[in-house]
Amino acid sequence: MSSAATPGEAERSRPESERSGAVLLLRQLVKSRTQAGSTFQLTVPELQVYPGEFVAIIGESGCGKSTLLDLLALISKPDSAASFQLTFSAGEAQDLAALWRYADETALAGIRRRWLGYVLQTGGLLPYLNVRDNLLLPRRINRMPPDHGRVLAMAQRMGVADCMPRRPDSLSGGQRQRVAVLRALTHSPRLVLADEPTAAVDRQRAHLIVRDLRSLARDEGLSVIMVTHDLDLVGSVADSSYGFELTQVTEHRIHSCLYREACR
Amino acid sequence: MSSGGGQSRRVFGLAAAHLRHEWILTLCLVSALAAVLAPLLILLGLKEGTIETLRDRLVQDPVYREIRPALTRTFDQQWLERLRQHPGVAFLTPTILPASSMLHLSGGAGENELIDLIPSAPGDPLLLENGGRIPLEGECVLSSEAARRLGVTTGAMVTARVTRSRAGHLETVQQSLVVVAVLSPRAGTLARVYTTLDFVEDVESYKEGRAVSSRGWGGDSARPYLSFDGVLVISRTPLDPIARTGLVVNTGLLKAEPMTQAAFTALTGLTLAEAWHAYDLSLPSGSVTFASISALQRKLRGRESLLLPYARRMRLRLPDAERALMGYSVSAAWAAKLSWPAAPWGELSANALNADRLLQILLPGDTADSGVALTVRFDGIEPLRFPLRAAGASGSQVALIPAELLGMLRTARDRVVSYRAESGGLLLERAGYRGFRLYARSIDDVPVLVEQLRRDGLEVVAAVEAISRIQVLDRGLTRLFWLIALLAVIGAGAVLIASLVAAVERERKDLGILRLLGLARTDVFLFPVFQGVMIALFGVALAWLGYLSLAEVINRLFGSELAPGQAICRLPESDSWVVLAATLLLALLSSLIAAWKATLIDPAEAIREE
């Protein structure tokens, strides 16, 4: 299914010193959390995501997926990072580590609003808005013109064009997730974070949704980081995938390290 | 990139969509708020309506706005004019002595009734608001009692007869008046006739013995009386202290001082020959009357002496110069004896006061044209302009006029003196008024005016008590209303706070999603605030609807006992805006806790829902 001609692959094949244009560049990031006396520490030696790339992060629950997502969604502050950059236009890297240092919440919220899309496990659609308004909400929040045509075309591709006037609670689980995926894309972000987007639907539908997300993202030229426990679900679509290596340091201390799995 | 704040319109739309989505809960909240507000509005409406109706009854009757002095006193024109300028005064007319204001009226049937005469003027609320109109010259308005006694109605002709007793004789004049209106009994139960102030003043003048030439009523002329600052005595023989004291006793004078030649010249401009002695007889304050001078003349009978009454600080303004002025009424014989100029008007006489004799002058220098119009100016009063006939030269720097004229002019320091060309003489204007009839602009102005007049030392009669009773009731009801309102506000505030906080708790996940979508903390802060405001708006609207319907029912039930235009339950337009603003403020304050809680919601909560 995947082709070798993705921009990410091309970049990755170059020597490291020449690499450029990564949407996300993460190096030596550490984040620890203490809960009920146990400390959990996540280390990310390196994570790079290129335009159009579909990155899968695979792990069981408790291995640090959520912690990583919080960091990527700019809602959790890293303890330290050698480099934490998002680059949405050439030569304009956003130094997130610095923004966190200055606690510039407004700038972080602004980046999140404009450049990131987020697909939640159960959709996260607002129950009091119909599907159309849910889909248009990110555009409206970004003060972009509604562009009904584009949204409708995307909805047709995702097969939810009929659902536009309906409220989320009248949709099936699969439709709801498809709408959720769409909502993460309508405002043309550069990086979509998907958190187990198919946890609530059956296997067959899950495969279809992931495939549609993959193809839509590629056509839109945006990168996707999808977190899942299901290797099988992403194995065929991911350009690269990462896993977690857990180490029980002491009784109350667990270290988790993100590593890159060899591509198939 | 950081097109940060200012998502308020978006948040408003979302908050509204949320309220619409949860419309049952919203309806409950709106109803709860309306259920608190509507009874408050009814209560406020009942208070306003009741007080307004009570006040209307007072407001509609000008009697409650009337203020008049409790005692008879003299009020001068300026004082009354100042009072008339007070912003709380709607109408003021001077009145005269009650004794001068009774006159006989007779209608067609020949009845002859003694009726109180009251002046009126344009704008008189007592007449205008009791079915009357303002009488013009030759017209009158009767109170209902007066009309009943006279047996006349509007349009009838009545005859007013004014009677006075002068020199032992009864004298009567009469005047026909058209009855242009009869007042409703509400205007008062006494028999009264209202006419122009001019007519009332003329009646007063006539009763006091003066003539009213414009009406052809005979009597004394209203000539200014004579007054002086002192009188100079010129004597051939010196007066020893005992003789001087003798002169002062029983003449109304207090001091008698010898005068040097220089002082005499300084005062009079005349030169006194060595052989003569001058004495200055005066009072430390007040005026020397002609009676004092007559008494002096009697005392000096047999002694070779001349009296020169004088007034200080009198100046004469000529077209081109200003001159000192001296009274000089001296017989030709005395003028010759003292080598002074001859006075064409002769010696001092209180009986020859005709204009021909008095309006003459001896001018300094020789530039005296006959019949020059001169302005005579005095210290401290309005300048008076009238023509004087130049009758010769004074031979000094001082202008000489008849001492009688000087005495009249000096009277103008205390009273208003005017010149009437038609009668060719000086006229003493009326001294002032003996009372007034005042109407305040509104009943609320009455206590203020009464307070001010009492501070000025004037005891007045006014219906202050009826007014203050209502004000006390108003204050009491207002206090009661605020107590109940306070209770209601606490209740409504608690309901709003609880439900808005509960809404934020229910909405944690959705608010977290909004944060994840990129809304700032300040944006989600607005979410409960907007919801509170919207609930308040609908609550006020519903409460107003409820109030309007219930007020209509109440007013129908009790409407039969009210005058048209009155209502038991009514709210002024402005109050609806006050209620709206107050409710919005309450909603705003109540939403603050919920808003603060909303800002604490972390976007991570949206992610970590399961």
Side-chain angles (χ1 to χ4, degrees):
Chain A
M1 194 106 194
S2 71
S3 93
T6 61
E9 287 300 312
E11 286 292 334
R12 212 178 286 284
S13 60
R14 294 188 198 171
E16 180 149 357
S17 58
E18 291 178 25
R19 280 182 194 176
S20 64
V23 174
L24 172 67
L25 175 62
L26 210 59
R27 272 206 196 97
Q28 302 302 328
L29 182 141
V30 179
K31 169 79 183 177
S32 47
R33 280 203 325 230
T34 302
Q35 207 168 14
S38 345
T39 302
F40 175 88
Q41 182 182 299
L42 171 71
T43 308
V44 182
E46 184 176 87
L47 172 62
Q48 293 189 48
V49 180
Y50 290 88
E53 200 178 9
F54 193 108
V55 175
I57 292 173
I58 298 149
E60 298 300 322
S61 65
C63 65
K65 284 187 300 179
S66 301
T67 309
L68 182 59
L69 269 178
D70 284 359
L71 288 164
L72 295 178
L74 315 182
I75 52 184
S76 166
K77 181 182 179 181
D79 295 344
S80 65
S83 148
F84 185 6
Q85 290 184 349
L86 282 167
T87 309
F88 303 115
S89 49
E92 274 187 48
Q94 301 281 341
D95 186 352
L96 300 168
L99 290 180
W100 273 119
R101 253 198 317 281
Y102 304 138
D104 192 346
E105 266 207 36
T106 315
L108 289 166
I111 294 170
R112 186 161 68 234
R113 177 169 65 231
R114 180 61 195 92
W115 302 116
L116 300 188
Y118 207 112
V119 189
L120 289 160
Q121 282 186 31
T122 51
L125 300 175
L126 294 177
Y128 45 86
L129 298 181
N130 63 22
V131 169
R132 177 183 290 107
D133 287 334
N134 261 296
L135 290 179
L136 290 174
L137 185 59
R139 293 188 68 84
R140 286 185 170 139
I141 287 178
N142 280 297
R143 293 198 178 81
M144 300 162 91
D147 200 352
H148 293 283
R150 173 184 140 84
V151 171
L152 188 64
M154 289 171 81
Q156 273 161 353
R157 270 189 78 172
M158 284 301 262
V160 289
D162 300 340
C163 307
M164 292 299 245
R166 290 162 65 182
R167 286 274 160 81
D169 54 12
S170 70
L171 302 179
S172 72
Q175 287 171 321
R176 206 176 299 158
Q177 283 312 110
R178 285 170 177 276
V179 173
V181 166
L182 268 183
R183 192 185 62 181
L185 303 178
T186 51
H187 60 298
S188 308
R190 289 297 158 81
L191 179 61
V192 172
L193 306 172
D195 180 10
E196 301 269 18
T198 56
V201 295
D202 61 60
R203 197 150 192 84
Q204 197 185 349
R205 265 173 239 263
H207 272 286
L208 291 172
I209 290 172
V210 171
R211 202 194 57 207
D212 287 349
L213 167 61
R214 170 80 180 110
S215 78
L216 250 181
R218 179 169 298 168
D219 293 355
E220 295 275 322
L222 53 86
S223 318
V224 177
I225 297 176
M226 179 164 153
V227 174
T228 180
H229 65 278
D230 192 349
L231 176 63
D232 180 44
L233 189 63
V234 291
S236 59
V237 293
D239 298 315
S240 58
S241 56
Y242 292 77
F244 295 94
E245 188 181 278
L246 288 177
T247 317
Q248 184 90 35
V249 181
T250 64
E251 191 189 344
H252 296 295
R253 191 172 184 87
I254 297 170
H255 280 190
S256 174
C257 185
L258 190 74
Y259 66 93
R260 183 158 190 230
E261 286 180 345
C263 204
R264 295 159 292 108
Chain B
M1 151 97 40
S2 58
S3 59
Q7 296 281 356
S8 44
R9 263 185 59 203
R10 196 65 50 223
V11 176
F12 182 81
L14 290 170
H18 180 239
L19 284 183
R20 200 166 53 236
H21 184 67
E22 298 199 329
W23 64 273
I24 294 182
L25 273 175
T26 306
L27 190 64
C28 285
L29 262 181
V30 167
S31 311
L33 197 59
V36 170
L37 283 178
L40 270 186
L41 289 174
I42 287 289
L43 201 63
L44 188 60
L46 282 174
K47 181 194 88 93
E48 297 271 332
T50 310
I51 295 292
E52 201 57 36
T53 303
L54 288 174
R55 282 168 52 95
D56 265 3
R57 288 186 181 161
L58 295 196
V59 167
Q60 282 173 3
D61 193 342
V63 163
Y64 291 101
R65 276 174 280 145
E66 181 177 345
I67 299 174
R68 56 200 154 80
L71 299 169
T72 306
R73 207 183 85 176
T74 304
F75 300 95
D76 66 54
Q77 194 69 47
Q78 289 96 328
W79 189 89
L80 288 172
E81 198 47 50
R82 263 203 319 281
L83 183 57
R84 199 199 302 270
Q85 299 304 323
H86 189 286
V89 174
F91 173 80
L92 185 149
T93 176
T95 57
I96 60 170
L97 258 189
S100 300
S101 67
M102 299 302 282
L103 84 174
H104 290 276
L105 275 190
S106 54
E111 264 91 352
N112 200 337
E113 294 285 342
L114 199 59
I115 288 177
D116 204 4
L117 176 65
I118 311 280
S120 182
D124 189 346
L126 185 69
L127 269 54
L128 295 176
E129 295 177 26
N130 284 302
R133 67 178 189 77
I134 305 302
L136 304 173
E137 177 58 45
E139 297 177 345
C140 71
V141 171
L142 296 177
S143 72
S144 63
E145 175 64 11
R148 190 191 64 77
R149 282 204 212 160
L150 295 170
V152 297
T153 54
T154 304
M157 185 71 94
V158 292
T159 307
R161 288 195 299 116
V162 189
T163 307
R164 72 178 173 203
S165 161
R166 197 162 68 119
H169 299 288
L170 271 183
E171 297 175 341
T172 300
V173 290
Q174 60 183 40
Q175 163 104 33
S176 295
L177 299 169
V178 181
V179 179
V180 292
V182 175
L183 300 182
S184 78
R186 195 183 71 169
T189 53
L190 298 176
R192 286 174 157 178
V193 54
Y194 299 87
T195 66
T196 60
L197 180 60
D198 281 345
F199 180 72
V200 176
E201 285 179 3
D202 290 346
V203 168
E204 183 192 38
S205 295
Y206 182 78
K207 286 204 165 201
E208 289 175 357
R210 293 194 298 276
V212 180
S213 56
S214 61
R215 295 187 195 274
W217 297 348
D220 300 330
S221 73
R223 195 183 287 125
Y225 54 86
L226 308 185
S227 69
F228 301 95
D229 287 330
V231 55
L232 302 179
V233 177
I234 294 162
S235 172
R236 173 79 80 179
T237 53
L239 299 173
D240 57 43
I242 295 169
R244 296 205 301 267
T245 308
L247 278 185
V248 174
V249 170
N250 281 336
T251 55
L253 296 163
L254 277 174
K255 286 197 307 186
E257 306 284 345
M259 217 180 183
T260 63
Q261 307 279 340
F264 180 84
T265 304
L267 180 64
T268 63
L270 298 166
T271 331
L272 193 60
E274 281 294 332
W276 294 89
H277 304 273
Y279 299 90
D280 181 4
L281 278 63
S282 63
L283 283 167
S285 67
S287 312
V288 175
T289 63
F290 197 77
S292 298
I293 291 165
S294 300
L296 263 182
Q297 277 176 328
R298 281 192 298 276
K299 290 201 176 197
L300 289 167
R301 197 168 291 156
R303 197 185 274 271
E304 193 177 7
S305 61
L306 174 69
L307 292 183
L308 288 176
Y310 68 89
R312 293 182 191 275
R313 304 198 317 274
M314 296 288 238
R315 307 287 292 177
L316 168 73
R317 181 159 293 178
L318 297 169
D320 53 350
E322 205 180 77
R323 299 286 180 209
L325 198 58
M326 176 65 194
Y328 181 74
S329 288
V330 177
S331 66
W334 270 100
K337 207 182 277 185
L338 292 163
S339 312
W340 286 350
W345 47 82
E347 64 182 338
L348 191 63
S349 162
N351 296 323
L353 299 177
N354 57 315
D356 277 353
R357 174 175 174 252
L358 289 190
L359 300 184
Q360 300 190 64
I361 187 166
L362 297 180
L363 283 169
D366 49 10
T367 59
D369 287 337
S370 196
V372 187
L374 304 168
T375 305
V376 187
R377 188 189 289 276
F378 310 91
D379 281 352
I381 66 156
E382 289 296 307
L384 189 59
R385 178 189 287 271
F386 58 88
L388 285 178
R389 182 158 47 83
S394 69
S396 72
Q397 288 305 302
V398 178
L400 301 178
I401 57 171
E404 297 88 336
L405 177 59
L406 183 78
M408 287 183 189
L409 292 176
R410 183 184 171 297
T411 297
R413 279 188 196 163
D414 304 324
R415 295 278 299 268
V416 177
V417 171
S418 62
Y419 172 76
R420 293 283 163 91
E422 62 269 29
S423 63
L426 294 179
L427 192 76
L428 186 63
E429 297 285 342
R430 45 175 307 116
Y433 298 97
R434 309 309 294 267
F436 58 83
R437 195 157 58 87
L438 182 159
Y439 290 87
R441 221 164 270 286
S442 79
I443 57 168
D444 293 323
D445 292 318
V446 173
V448 181
L449 280 166
V450 165
E451 177 59 26
Q452 184 185 326
L453 289 169
R454 287 195 177 143
R455 256 205 319 277
D456 291 354
L458 180 66
E459 201 49 44
V460 292
V461 179
V464 182
E465 271 178 28
I467 295 163
S468 63
R469 260 203 304 281
I470 288 183
Q471 286 174 336
V472 165
L473 182 66
D474 191 7
R475 271 200 295 277
L477 285 178
T478 305
R479 222 169 283 158
L480 198 65
F481 170 79
W482 281 116
L483 279 177
I484 296 172
L486 184 70
L487 211 64
V489 161
I490 292 172
V495 167
L496 275 173
I497 291 173
S499 47
L500 289 172
V501 168
V504 165
E505 286 304 326
R506 277 201 313 280
E507 290 301 296
R508 284 195 83 83
K509 190 197 149 201
D510 290 344
L511 290 171
I513 290 168
L514 288 176
R515 293 274 285 120
L516 193 63
L517 287 176
L519 288 187
R521 283 188 204 281
T522 47
D523 296 327
V524 292
F525 177 90
L526 290 175
F527 198 85
V529 173
F530 283 146
Q531 291 199 328
V533 166
M534 278 183 272
I535 288 167
L537 280 174
F538 287 119
V540 169
L542 189 62
W544 200 256
L545 219 64
Y547 158 76
L548 285 180
S549 0
L550 194 51
E552 185 62 32
V553 172
I554 292 173
N555 287 333
R556 288 240 171 115
L557 280 178
F558 296 96
S560 54
E561 294 163 27
L562 299 173
Q566 288 185 335
I568 277 291
C569 187
R570 84 151 124 227
L571 280 180
E573 178 94 357
S574 58
D575 278 22
S576 59
W577 299 113
V578 173
V579 168
L580 181 63
T583 314
L584 283 180
L585 187 69
L586 176 69
L588 220 65
L589 292 176
S590 305
S591 68
L592 288 183
I593 296 178
W596 171 70
K597 279 189 165 292
T599 62
L600 298 182
I601 294 173
D602 201 85
E605 289 180 40
I607 304 174
R608 223 155 326 296
E609 56 178 311
E610 279 143 337

